[in-house]
Amino acid sequence: QVKISDLEGKAIGLYFSANWYPPCRNFNKVLIGVYEQLKSNGSNFEIVFVSSDEDLSAFNSYRESMPWLSIPFSDLETKKALNRKFEVEGIPYLIILQPDGSTLHDGVELIYRYGIEAFPFTEEKLEELRREERMKHESQTLTNLLTNPGRDYLLDQTMTRKVPVDSMIGKTVGLYFSAQWCFPCAKFTPKLISIYHKIKQSLEGKGGGEDFEIVFVSNDRDQSSFDSYYGTMPWLALPFGDPIIRTLAKYFDVQGIPCLIIIGPGGKTVTKQGRNLINLYQENAYPFTCAKLELLEKEMEEEAKRLPRSNYHAGHRHELTLVSEGNGGGPFICCDCDEQGSGWAYQCLGCGYEVHPRCMR
């Protein structure tokens, strides 16, 4: 037992989490690494686990992995009071309580984005980190993104030939964060392969020196999984386990896969929403710039004028109504292809069933 008075004067992380929820278990590993580094540095920081586990054995099992403190599982009133006080609506959730009484609610995002550098979690420190981040993005080039002191190349499909990173300068490049074990990745990768070939063929037909390439940034768990998965892909890859992979995920704040980041010919980030744009516009999304997206949105508006106001879909028994973001639509997951959509959709106003207009059948 640790007395509450022993925590006076420390920055405290209230960590709302549960063993049964995979995103909590994933974040837990990251948080443990940061916590142990801070403790070894003698930092004045402590974490208190507030459990959402369903029973004592799950709580005990989860807590075994944690090097910090916890509210006793039996103290239901305190756990409920903390959830109410801080309006906790989802987990994992990390609130930072400062000795001066100030509170930070976005601890999970800060740990994912900045790691140990976020300490002591003050507004001054975070503004300094944001300023450094802006400067990095302003000076970003393809070379400083994808190389490290011991490697200036990428692997091609043979996994033996080394392609110099500098040979990619001037191209539009997609950084594809993905892994074989990820079910959404397994669904999206074949689509991306098809779109990749169509974009390449289109650019070859046009001439003019434009080019498009993708670099696989692997989240696979071992070399054999990487080899097997990358063997299905027609583009380049960072070597498995390269330290740059973790740096890139942190730099671009990648919190879920698959994720497709688009880098323009000048080496600057064009969009982090490459996956959504591929789902919405297929090969027409290239080169993913704001100007191209504005054009595509106008074309979608014109096309929507020619669509029937209501229709039936083979997968749903009710009539579907054509909606847009302005009249009840918005971001959604298509019930036909399971991919994200936005803008126009056919929606069941009674039960929320929603599909892309192109998926109507």
Side-chain angles (χ1 to χ4, degrees):
Q1 296 181 358
V2 176
K3 291 184 178 181
I4 304 297
S5 58
D6 292 347
L7 304 181
E8 292 292 339
K10 294 186 177 184
I12 306 295
L14 286 182
Y15 177 39
F16 299 80
S17 187
N19 189 41
W20 51 264
Y21 193 42
C24 288
R25 295 198 301 272
N26 292 339
F27 177 66
N28 206 49
K29 296 172 188 172
V30 178
L31 186 58
I32 287 171
V34 170
Y35 176 84
E36 289 180 339
Q37 286 183 72
L38 287 173
K39 297 301 278 188
S40 68
N41 294 345
S43 300
N44 211 18
F45 179 60
E46 191 51 77
I47 292 176
V48 178
F49 170 43
V50 186
S51 170
S52 297
D53 287 303
E54 296 170 335
D55 55 60
L56 182 59
S57 63
F59 168 78
N60 285 334
S61 170
Y62 196 30
R63 196 168 63 98
E64 279 178 3
S65 69
M66 298 176 175
W68 43 71
L69 310 177
S70 61
I71 303 291
F73 183 76
S74 58
D75 190 354
L76 192 59
E77 285 306 309
T78 297
K79 291 190 290 183
K80 282 183 176 178
L82 289 170
N83 275 274
R84 281 196 303 270
K85 178 177 177 59
F86 295 108
E87 300 177 345
V88 177
E89 295 181 353
I91 54 176
Y93 195 56
L94 181 65
I95 295 169
I96 309 295
L97 308 177
Q98 295 288 5
D100 65 3
S102 60
T103 306
L104 262 174
H105 284 257
D106 51 353
V108 171
E109 181 185 346
L110 296 175
I111 292 293
Y112 269 130
R113 178 169 286 188
Y114 301 119
I116 190 174
E117 294 174 8
F119 185 80
F121 305 102
T122 59
E123 196 52 52
E124 293 77 16
K125 179 63 174 179
L126 298 178
E127 183 50 45
E128 179 191 327
L129 290 171
R130 292 183 193 114
R131 188 165 56 249
E132 289 174 2
E133 202 170 56
R134 285 194 297 269
M135 290 172 64
K136 281 182 184 176
H137 283 275
E138 286 166 8
S139 61
Q140 173 183 305
T141 67
L142 204 60
T143 302
N144 64 32
L145 276 180
L146 298 181
T147 63
N148 60 41
R151 178 192 50 75
D152 60 359
Y153 62 86
L154 302 165
L155 300 177
D156 76 350
Q157 299 91 326
T158 66
M159 288 189 263
T160 56
R161 193 171 75 87
K162 297 176 179 179
V163 178
V165 170
D166 286 354
S167 68
M168 310 271 287
I169 293 172
K171 298 181 180 183
T172 297
V173 176
L175 303 180
Y176 182 42
F177 295 80
S178 186
Q180 189 177 51
W181 53 262
C182 166
F183 179 69
C185 296
K187 291 192 69 178
F188 182 68
T189 297
K191 178 185 289 188
L192 184 59
I193 290 170
S194 172
I195 299 302
Y196 170 81
H197 285 308
K198 288 176 181 176
I199 292 173
K200 298 284 277 187
Q201 288 167 6
S202 170
L203 293 175
E204 285 170 11
K206 289 178 182 175
E210 273 190 80
D211 202 358
F212 177 59
E213 195 50 78
I214 291 177
V215 177
F216 174 39
V217 185
S218 171
N219 284 49
D220 288 302
R221 291 169 176 151
D222 52 60
Q223 184 74 51
S224 62
S225 298
F226 168 83
D227 293 347
S228 169
Y229 191 36
Y230 182 46
T232 68
M233 301 175 183
W235 42 68
L236 306 177
L238 283 165
F240 174 74
D242 193 288
I244 284 289
I245 291 172
R246 184 172 291 183
T247 303
L248 287 172
K250 192 172 169 182
Y251 180 77
F252 289 112
D253 194 25
V254 176
Q255 295 189 21
I257 56 174
C259 175
L260 182 65
I261 310 284
I262 304 297
I263 309 298
K268 300 294 186 286
T269 306
V270 174
T271 180
K272 298 180 182 180
Q273 304 300 322
R275 176 193 177 192
N276 293 344
L277 298 177
I278 290 286
N279 286 328
L280 279 173
Y281 304 116
Q282 291 82 50
E283 65 273 16
N284 295 325
Y286 178 86
F288 307 93
T289 58
C290 291
K292 183 60 183 283
L293 298 183
E294 285 176 16
L295 178 62
L296 291 169
E297 284 168 11
K298 286 179 183 175
E299 289 175 358
M300 189 182 278
E301 292 286 331
E302 290 301 314
E303 185 182 333
K305 292 176 184 176
R306 300 190 292 272
L307 293 173
R309 299 297 98 182
S310 61
N311 212 333
Y312 283 89
H313 183 265
H316 192 66
R317 64 186 182 279
H318 300 144
E319 186 176 44
L320 306 183
T321 301
L322 185 67
V323 297
S324 70
E325 286 189 80
N327 68 350
F332 65 95
I333 300 296
C334 177
C335 294
D336 187 88
C337 69
D338 291 329
E339 291 290 357
Q340 191 166 343
S342 62
W344 293 92
Y346 276 102
Q347 182 187 82
C348 178
L349 301 180
C351 57
Y353 187 91
E354 204 159 8
V355 294
H356 295 119
R358 68 170 184 273
C359 290
M360 286 298 294
R361 51 185 178 78

